[in-house]
Amino acid sequence: MAQIQIKNIRKDFGDFNAVKESSFTIEDGEFFMLLGPSGCGKTTTLRMIAGLELPTSGEIYLDGEEISQLPPSQRDIAFVFQMFALYPHMNVGKNLSYPLISQGMPRAQVKAKVDEVATILGIQDILKRPVGGLSGGDRQRVALGRAIVRDPKAFMMDEPLGALDAEFREHMSEELRALHDRMNATTVYVTHDQLEAMQMGDKIVVMNNAVVEQFGTPKQIYDTPATMFVADFIGSPSMNFLPFDGSVGEGASEVQLAGHNHGVPRQIEGASGALVFGVRPEHVTLSDSGAYRGEVLASEYLGTTQIITLDTPNGELKARIGSEQVAKVGEKVGLGFNPGTVTLFDSGTGRALRSDLNNEVLTHG
């Protein structure tokens, strides 16, 4: 078992607050993603779990044991860095065996374990090769092998695929997820790449400016963003934001944009003033009719779909539609929105208003 509980951890470097009070639970066997832009606090959070940084306050539990002040050597956690961190004077086999030899494991067991890990990673044929001449992908496999050979309780991975080119990075991400599933290990993975997080993660923590903006499954993060930051950071293109001044009461199921009514999920929380109508591009429809209209500014062909950019009374908007639909630049078209997918935000705080769509996520996530 390797459940990790984070309770109100905070990290200060002098006057700089790198991580504000954060709390979440990583379940045993989960592939858990720490996602956010550079400087948001995700790597600092990972380093606190691993013991490379001690929290200023708060608690970290591994299998129910409080470990926040323990050194890394007493946490049984393996760390994989972006830059491989291999011993250049050793060949592949010696890099893999070094952690086991350091622990005093008998040589016969060391050889058996190295052979097992090399088979899992498909690197049996390079065990005697020096690491300096390996490709980036092979060096990353060796770095992973040196981490998993110890059978730790959990793996900490700090952008381990960041140094690889895009094509090979995608291939390695599939391999890494398959390896995780095979080992049923608990993995905590830092990335700034939202596609990587969505494709690989069981759960995601989205961080920004030292704060956890949202915690949940990829589907929850995408379909029911808790804040405008999450809605904007996740998705390509990101969620459309149409600002409007108005009010929405408890129980309301429509709002008015530029004098036209549009359906929304039943609102559990009312608000008034500067609000934002949020809708994903794939939930926007184009039609010849429709009172709410927009002018086509550009079209980006993507094969089976196309991204249409439109100018509307409430600002610019993108729609993802089928490539067979015709949308000419300069043409004015009617616009519709899937009412069950709309999220309303408070413009001042950036926070999503609670509705039938997101109430469970915002209350329990």
Side-chain angles (χ1 to χ4, degrees):
M1 294 289 290
Q3 184 194 68
I4 301 170
Q5 292 178 290
I6 307 299
K7 293 187 177 181
N8 299 314
I9 60 167
R10 176 187 180 95
K11 181 62 179 179
D12 296 327
F13 295 98
D15 294 333
F16 176 69
N17 181 206
V19 176
K20 296 180 181 176
E21 285 76 8
S22 299
S23 299
F24 51 86
T25 298
I26 303 164
E27 298 296 346
D28 178 50
E30 276 188 340
F31 202 113
F32 192 92
M33 312 299 289
L34 287 168
L35 173 68
S38 297
C40 70
K42 58 188 186 295
T43 293
T44 301
T45 300
L46 186 80
R47 290 172 64 84
M48 285 191 285
I49 298 172
L52 302 178
E53 299 283 356
L54 297 181
T56 303
S57 61
E59 301 168 336
I60 302 170
Y61 293 86
L62 178 61
D63 290 345
E65 178 189 0
E66 214 282 327
I67 63 168
S68 59
Q69 300 301 314
L70 291 181
S73 59
Q74 295 181 30
R75 299 194 185 197
D76 196 15
I77 288 174
F79 210 114
V80 181
F81 298 90
Q82 177 178 332
M83 299 312 296
F84 314 126
L86 300 174
Y87 298 119
H89 61 287
M90 297 181 182
N91 64 22
V92 171
K94 288 182 178 179
N95 263 278
L96 295 179
S97 64
Y98 184 80
L100 303 180
I101 293 173
S102 299
Q103 294 172 0
M105 182 180 288
R107 288 191 175 276
Q109 284 183 248
V110 170
K111 184 180 186 310
K113 191 65 181 175
V114 168
D115 288 344
E116 177 191 354
V117 169
T119 300
I120 290 172
L121 294 170
I123 55 175
Q124 311 96 307
D125 58 332
I126 63 170
L127 286 175
K128 296 188 181 301
R129 289 178 56 184
V131 296
L134 299 180
S135 67
D138 282 340
R139 278 185 287 168
Q140 192 56 277
R141 286 189 180 92
V142 176
L144 288 169
R146 203 174 63 184
I148 68 177
V149 76
R150 290 177 36 223
D151 287 329
K153 287 185 176 180
F155 297 97
M156 304 291 115
M157 300 190 181
D158 189 6
E159 305 210 42
L161 309 182
L164 305 179
D165 62 68
E167 183 177 351
F168 198 73
R169 180 173 179 162
E170 183 176 349
H171 174 69
M172 279 297 295
S173 68
E174 293 173 0
E175 284 195 9
L176 191 55
R177 177 67 216 214
L179 175 64
H180 165 88
D181 292 340
R182 190 182 308 132
M183 297 178 63
N184 195 31
T186 301
T187 302
V188 186
Y189 188 109
V190 162
T191 183
H192 65 274
D193 187 330
Q194 53 104 357
L195 289 176
E196 194 171 72
M198 296 290 285
Q199 290 167 356
M200 297 172 68
D202 295 315
K203 296 276 182 62
I204 301 173
V205 155
V206 183
M207 297 188 69
N208 183 41
N209 291 330
V211 172
V212 171
E213 295 265 343
Q214 190 168 359
F215 162 53
T217 66
K219 180 175 174 59
Q220 289 171 334
I221 297 290
Y222 186 83
D223 291 344
T224 54
T227 66
M228 289 179 66
F229 173 81
V230 174
D232 185 55
F233 195 74
I234 301 292
S236 182
S238 60
M239 180 176 278
N240 293 297
F241 298 127
L242 302 179
F244 69 101
D245 287 319
S247 64
V248 56
E250 291 183 33
S253 58
E254 61 180 28
V255 296
Q256 195 172 87
L257 296 180
H260 304 288
N261 290 333
H262 298 277
V264 297
R266 187 182 70 88
Q267 296 298 296
I268 296 172
E269 179 182 5
S272 62
L275 303 176
V276 175
F277 184 99
V279 61
R280 294 282 182 193
E282 60 270 26
H283 298 142
V284 179
T285 56
L286 274 60
S287 66
D288 292 333
S289 59
Y292 189 80
R293 305 186 72 79
E295 180 181 346
V296 178
L297 299 178
S299 173
E300 181 183 359
Y301 179 75
L302 299 175
T304 57
T305 63
Q306 56 183 322
I307 304 297
I308 307 300
T309 304
L310 303 109
D311 183 31
T312 79
N314 297 84
E316 198 169 285
L317 171 146
K318 291 185 183 294
R320 185 189 295 272
I321 62 174
S323 57
E324 74 283 354
Q325 287 189 257
V326 177
K328 298 178 180 177
V329 173
E331 178 184 12
K332 290 195 174 181
V333 297
L335 297 172
F337 311 110
N338 183 340
T341 66
V342 172
T343 300
L344 298 181
F345 299 92
D346 182 301
S347 180
T349 64
R351 186 179 57 83
L353 304 182
R354 289 190 297 122
S355 70
D356 281 350
L357 172 68
N358 61 20
N359 185 50
E360 182 176 348
V361 172
L362 299 186
T363 303
H364 304 294

